[in-house]
Amino acid sequence: LADRPLVDWDLILVMEPLTIAGALIGAFLNKVLPETFLVVMLVALLSFTAYNTLKKAFKMYAAESRHMREEMGIRADGTKESELVRMAHDEEDEDEAEASDHLLDDDDRGSDEEGGEDVSLEDDGMDEELKEILEEEREAPMMNIMVLVTMFIVVLFINLMKGGGAFPSPLGIKCGSTSFWVANFIMLGWIFIISVFARAYLVRRFELKKEHNYQYVDGDIQWDGRATIVYPVICCLAGFFAGMFGVGGGIVKGPLMLAMGVHPAVSSASSACMILFTSFTATTSFIVFGLLVPDYAVVCFVIGFLATLLGQIGLFYLMAKYKRNSYIAFSIGGVVLLSAFLMTIQSLVSMAEGAHHHSGGICGKGD
């Protein structure tokens, strides 16, 4: 990994606004769509996501195993290179490195003779602008964080002020009225403005990096004009499903980021950070619409917090011990698959008991 925080704030800045917008729209559909349809669609989504995530995890595991065998000198057929063969390979590598050093020395002398300037290998020809970019990336970008927090606070404020079917508006706005829908469109418009700003900022930063020959590492996303449109739109769908099905955005965005090629550790950390914004936004919508059961919410919050803490500690221990980042992908895929399995059982039990719940429409309290 590069010398920077695990949480990719550029990724969050461009993807989170539209994810929140999707969650808000999805919450409306959660109020009007039949429960059976929501359950079937959720199980299908989780099954598809689990399949793709586990498929990615097995590929990562195989690549890690192959790399470990190469480091240990084990051939593909399972036999191990002799010590003499390994020493010979090491000597060849040293000779190649030494020849490269001589070539660099010759290039430096040629540059000195032509330009009269001393080229320092320590700087590797790195200009000041590139050094500044690398230095900035070592710290969490406060501008990105402030933009996200400001967007979140405004959305939360408007969502509560407009009220809903089970939550009276402090401003006297009636659910379903013209003012109610205007408030919703203002909220979505605000998110769209933030998204346009984020895209312009990241494209400009991409062009700057390109101009100064910035070297990306494995798992980095190059935020060019295309990526800043395609990935946020996909994340909008992830937020839409999170809001419509009432699940955490991380259960969709974690696998999504792995599919995008993001490093598993970065994916896990960034997804956990994004869940704070997405889930909180969806939760406020559920409170407004009267879909949140308070006693269940408290219990689930405590269990979820403790399970996440223990899971993070255990996962980091296994990763440090066995040097395998694929464990993150396996854990995400496993949780998603387990969720699909349990949701299927729950729906079958509900059908057997003849239990049905009615939402009562957008402005109704439901049952």
Side-chain angles (χ1 to χ4, degrees), residues 18-31 33 37-49 232-253 255-256 278-279 282 286 336 343:
L18 287 181
T19 303
I20 291 178
L24 291 170
I25 297 172
F28 278 101
L29 289 181
N30 184 281
K31 282 288 292 180
L33 291 177
F37 175 80
L38 290 174
V39 171
V40 171
M41 291 298 295
L42 176 58
V43 171
L45 174 66
L46 294 178
S47 301
F48 176 77
T49 303
V233 168
I234 296 175
C235 255
C236 183
L237 293 175
F240 175 78
F241 290 129
M244 184 168 64
F245 299 135
V247 298
I251 207 169
V252 180
K253 283 190 291 188
L256 172 62
T278 308
S279 296
F286 291 143
V336 175
M343 281 298 302

Side-chain angles (χ1 to χ4, degrees), residues 131-355:
K131 288 181 182 179
E132 185 177 341
I133 292 174
L134 295 174
E135 190 64 32
E136 288 176 355
E137 290 187 341
R138 292 180 179 177
E139 304 291 338
M142 294 307 301
M143 188 201 76
N144 292 22
I145 297 174
M146 291 302 298
V147 169
L148 287 166
V149 171
T150 302
M151 177 202 67
F152 174 72
I153 291 175
V154 172
V155 169
L156 181 63
F157 176 79
I158 297 176
N159 210 17
L160 292 177
M161 289 299 101
K162 70 178 177 59
F167 183 83
S169 167
L171 302 179
I173 298 175
K174 292 184 178 181
C175 180
S177 66
T178 301
S179 300
F180 175 82
W181 291 111
V182 168
N184 280 292
F185 281 113
I186 290 176
M187 188 162 49
L188 294 175
W190 164 250
I191 293 174
F192 180 75
I193 291 173
I194 296 296
S195 300
V196 172
F197 164 79
R199 180 181 185 274
Y201 166 75
L202 289 182
V203 170
R204 186 169 64 249
R205 193 165 178 81
F206 166 77
E207 295 296 340
L208 181 64
K209 291 180 177 181
K210 184 178 179 180
E211 180 183 347
H212 295 280
N213 297 317
Y214 178 90
Q215 297 297 314
Y216 291 91
V217 300
D218 289 340
D220 280 348
I221 297 177
Q222 299 185 31
W223 295 111
D224 55 16
R226 180 180 179 275
T228 50
I229 292 178
V230 173
Y231 291 138
V233 168
I234 296 175
C235 255
C236 183
L237 293 175
F240 175 78
F241 290 129
M244 184 168 64
F245 299 135
V247 298
I251 207 169
V252 180
K253 283 190 291 188
L256 172 62
M257 283 188 279
L258 289 177
M260 290 165 55
V262 177
H263 190 282
V266 176
S267 171
S268 177
S270 301
S271 177
C273 184
M274 294 169 78
I275 288 173
L276 171 65
F277 298 101
T278 308
S279 296
F280 209 102
T281 303
T283 300
T284 56
S285 294
F286 291 143
I287 292 175
V288 166
F289 290 138
L291 296 173
L292 189 73
V293 182
D295 50 351
Y296 277 23
V298 173
V299 173
C300 290
F301 173 81
V302 174
I303 294 176
F305 179 82
L306 293 178
T308 301
L309 178 63
L310 293 176
Q312 289 281 11
I313 294 174
L315 193 58
F316 281 133
Y317 169 77
L318 292 175
M319 289 170 57
K321 182 176 181 180
Y322 296 104
K323 309 295 182 184
R324 288 185 180 273
N325 289 303
S326 58
Y327 288 160
I328 296 179
F330 277 115
S331 66
I332 294 175
V335 168
V336 175
L337 182 62
L338 180 62
S339 300
F341 178 71
L342 294 178
M343 281 298 302
T344 302
I345 293 178
Q346 176 62 34
S347 61
L348 292 175
V349 171
S350 297
M351 291 173 62
E353 294 177 348

